[in-house]
Amino acid sequence: MYDFTVSKLTIPNINDSRKPLILVGTGSFNPITYMHLRMMEMAKDYFKNEYQVIGGYLSPVGDGYDKKTLIESSHRTTMVELSIEDSDWLMMDRFESDKPIFTPTRQVLDHIKLNIENYLNSNKNIICKVNVILVCGSDLLGSFNIPDLWSDNDMNLLSSKDNFGIAVIPRSGSNLNDIISINQILTKNKDGIYIIPVDITNDVSSTKIREKLRNKFSVKYLMPEKALNYIKSKNIYKTEIPDFRNKLNKKK
């Protein structure tokens, strides 16, 4: 049964002039890497002087996401939960991962914002607007320029400072200015797109980790140890396309 977690939520100080902020990271987490976690930490540092960062959520995609290398959400969510056990502010939300069909990112942020504000109002008698910002890499922002992948309305709401906002961690080889300049919606909402400076580079990706695992190379120190131990215990990522995905495709 789904239950929205607030276990690590910091109750905002109503006497603080800074507005409360929730940071949200979405994606496959196939598997989770240290870079996923570092992105959230970098965004928290970036916003902490302007906002009260009261919590962060990781939202893995559900099994309905059409990606042939995606393993079951039950594995991916377990690895995320294990990886953030020691965090004092990061939580995982299952609203997206529990659904059998793909859930647009904007709906995930709507859901988290609504639940946080309802919780503060109902349980803490605090009525306030909670800001929610999407944390992502430059590859996700670049996908806004793929025709018909995102609706104009969702792009506008996600990138607008008045609605949400996007914190982007640049990756090597990407040009964020070019990505923004060729997109009318992103150009209009550029004040709501925050480019997080990267002082220590980390290009670890889930794709590279899966490839190393298939080839029986070490991925120690590239991903959380608890998640790696889980992979070993379940004997997953042995093939590029998991048996689970093949079975789903046959049903279509």
Side-chain angles (χ1 to χ4, degrees), residues 54-214:
I54 62 173
Y57 288 88
L58 299 180
S59 176
V61 298
D63 291 338
Y65 183 62
D66 190 16
K67 189 174 184 180
K68 67 179 182 179
T69 57
L70 195 67
I71 66 168
E72 298 97 318
S73 62
S74 58
H75 289 314
R76 293 181 287 107
T77 54
T78 298
M79 286 188 284
V80 169
E81 286 183 325
L82 288 170
S83 300
I84 61 175
E85 278 182 344
D86 297 331
S87 173
D88 61 0
W89 72 289
L90 287 176
M91 296 162 279
M92 188 189 74
D93 182 52
R94 291 180 176 272
F95 170 74
E96 182 178 8
S97 60
D98 281 358
K99 290 192 173 185
I101 59 174
F102 173 70
T103 306
T105 301
R106 193 265 308 159
Q107 292 183 21
V108 175
L109 268 62
D110 279 339
H111 171 79
I112 291 174
K113 177 180 174 66
L114 177 64
N115 275 272
I116 294 292
E117 291 180 344
N118 285 345
Y119 170 77
L120 292 175
N121 184 12
S122 302
N123 295 274
K124 302 298 178 181
N125 199 29
I126 297 175
I127 301 175
C128 66
K129 175 187 175 183
V130 174
N131 294 267
V132 177
I133 291 178
L134 175 67
V135 180
C136 68
S138 50
D139 52 343
L140 186 145
L141 191 71
S143 73
F144 278 25
N145 291 324
I146 299 175
D148 302 321
L149 186 61
W150 298 80
S151 74
D152 287 353
N153 183 58
D154 281 6
M155 277 195 288
N156 182 54
L157 292 173
L158 287 170
S159 60
S160 169
K161 190 174 185 179
D162 294 333
N163 294 284
F164 293 111
I166 303 176
V168 188
I169 287 78
R171 281 193 171 181
S172 58
S174 63
N175 189 319
L176 292 177
N177 289 328
D178 285 351
I179 291 172
I180 294 170
S181 66
I182 64 174
N183 187 302
Q184 291 183 345
I185 294 174
L186 296 182
T187 299
K188 175 181 66 114
N189 292 335
K190 61 183 178 180
D191 288 345
I193 301 172
Y194 309 90
I195 299 177
I196 310 299
V198 178
D199 53 355
I200 301 176
T201 58
N202 183 342
D203 283 334
V204 174
S205 70
S206 297
T207 301
K208 292 176 182 177
I209 285 181
R210 291 196 306 273
E211 182 180 354
K212 283 186 172 293
L213 288 168
R214 287 198 307 274

Side-chain angles (χ1 to χ4, degrees), residues 215-229:
N215 292 309
K216 299 181 180 180
F217 291 141
S218 171
V219 295
K220 193 175 179 66
Y221 309 124
L222 295 178
M223 63 181 299
E225 189 75 12
K226 291 179 181 178
L228 178 55
N229 289 337

